Amino acid sequence: MKTLDEVCVAIVDCEHKTAPKVESGYPSIRTTDIKNGRIDFENANRVSEETYNKWTKRRCPMPGDLILAREAPVGEVGLIPDGAFPVLGQRTVLLSPNCALVVPRYLHYLLLAPHLQHEIKVRSSGSTVHHLNMKDIRALKLPALPTLPEQREIAAVLGALDDKIELNRKMATTLEAMVRAIYRSWFVDFDPVHARTHGLKPAHMDDLTRALFPTRFGDDGLPEGWKMGVLSDIALNPRTGVKPDQIDPNTPYIGLEHMPRKSIAISNWGTAEQIGSQKSAISTGDFLFGKLRPYFHKVGVSPVDGICSTDIIVVRPKSQAWGAMVLSIISSGDFVEYTNLSSSGTRMPRTNWKDMGSYEVVLPSEPIVQVFEDVTSIMREKIIRTIYENQTLATLRDTLLPRLMSGELRVGEAREMAEDVV
C-alpha cells in the first residue's frame, strides 16, 4: 500500500489568488470547472502568457497530470487531456503521477472510486467548509496497485466509456452550432434574401425552400412580408407551481446547478427528494432559461417531465412551428446580453418574463418558420438522444469502476459489457 505522495513525482498547490482574466489565452481551471471527473475547458477563464508563466513557475501542468479540487466541491478530480496546458485556479492541486508506478488514467479512476472519495470526504470534514489540506492529500492511502499492464487494461475499459461520452458531447455541441449558424444566416443576416435580390441561388438550400424567401427588402429594411414583433408574440411562460407535498420524491428536478453554460444540452438532473419549497412544473421539450445572473448564459431544453427551480423561467412556443425559432432566440448571445442589461438587483441580478417577452424579434412568414423547425428539430431530438445515451454510459462506468478497482470483476468481463454499449 502506498500514499498518493509516493506515486507522484510532484504534488503542487495553487497560487491562492485569482488569476487576472483575459478574453483568450491559457485556461485557468477553477474547482467549478471540474465535474464528474471531467475538466470543462470550454467555460474556463482565460489568462495571458505572462500570467501563465507566473502561475506555473513551480511546475507546468501537463497532459496526463491531474487537477484535484481541495474545496467547493472537495474531491472532484480531472485528467488533463492531450493538447491542454492550463494553470491552476484557486483551491486546486496539481498531481503529477510517476508513470513508472501508476498509469495516469488509472490513478484518475482510482481517485474517483467510492472508497477513496469517502476517504477524501472524511479527511476534509471537521471545519465549516469542507477543505483538504496538502498534508492530508499527500498522505492519502491508496490500495495496492495492480501491475502497469493491468492498470492500462482497466483504464482502457473505463476510458472507452468516457471517450464515447465525450464524443457524444462534442457531436451535440456541433449540432448546436449548426442550428445557430442557420438561424443567424436566415433570420439575422438575411443571406437567402440578399442572394435572391442579386439573382443568385442561396447556398445549401433546395428549390422549394429557396422559393419561400422574398426576393426584395421592404422600406423598413426587412425582407418583404416579414415584420418586427416581440418574443411574447410567439412564446409564453407557463407558470404551474407545485408545492412540496404534491411532489413524488422520485420526480426529476432541474436546478441552475444542473444547467451547463452556453449549451442547451442538460445532461444532469436530480430528484425532488430534498425539495422543501414550491417549484415549477416542466415537460419534456420545454425551454429553460436561468433568470438568476443571466450572464451565466444557462439556457437549455428539458429532457424530462418533472419540476425545476423557481430561478428558472419556463418558455414554450405558442405553436410547434415556432419551437426552433424561440429556442434560437433565447439561447443567443444577443438575447442573454439583453436580459443581463435589463435585470434588476445588484448582488443577485435577476431577469423576468415581462422583460424577456418584450424583446424585439423578426417574424418571418410561417412557411419559412416551419421549414426551420423541420430542419433543426431533427438536430434537437438527436441532442436529447445523446443525453440519454450518455446517462447509460455513465451509469455503466460508475457500476464497473468500484468492481474493477476492488478486483471483484475481471477486466475481460468488464470489456465485454462496455463493448455492448460503445
Side-chain angles (χ1 to χ4, degrees), residues 147-194:
T147 64
L148 288 174
E150 288 175 307
Q151 291 181 35
R152 291 191 189 95
E153 287 190 6
I154 291 172
V157 170
L158 298 171
L161 296 169
D162 271 333
D163 289 346
K164 177 61 175 172
I165 290 173
E166 184 65 11
L167 186 65
N168 281 343
R169 195 190 64 77
K170 288 181 177 176
M171 181 177 67
T173 301
T174 300
L175 291 172
E176 282 189 49
M178 291 171 64
V179 174
R180 283 197 299 273
I182 296 172
Y183 169 76
R184 185 159 195 89
S185 173
W186 288 15
F187 306 120
V188 177
D189 297 333
F190 308 134
D191 289 334
V193 183
H194 281 294

Side-chain angles (χ1 to χ4, degrees), residues 316-337:
R316 284 183 192 152
K318 285 190 173 179
S319 73
Q320 175 267 344
W322 289 100
M325 192 80 177
V326 170
L327 181 59
S328 296
I329 292 169
I330 67 173
S331 62
S332 69
D334 290 343
F335 183 79
V336 171
E337 179 63 14

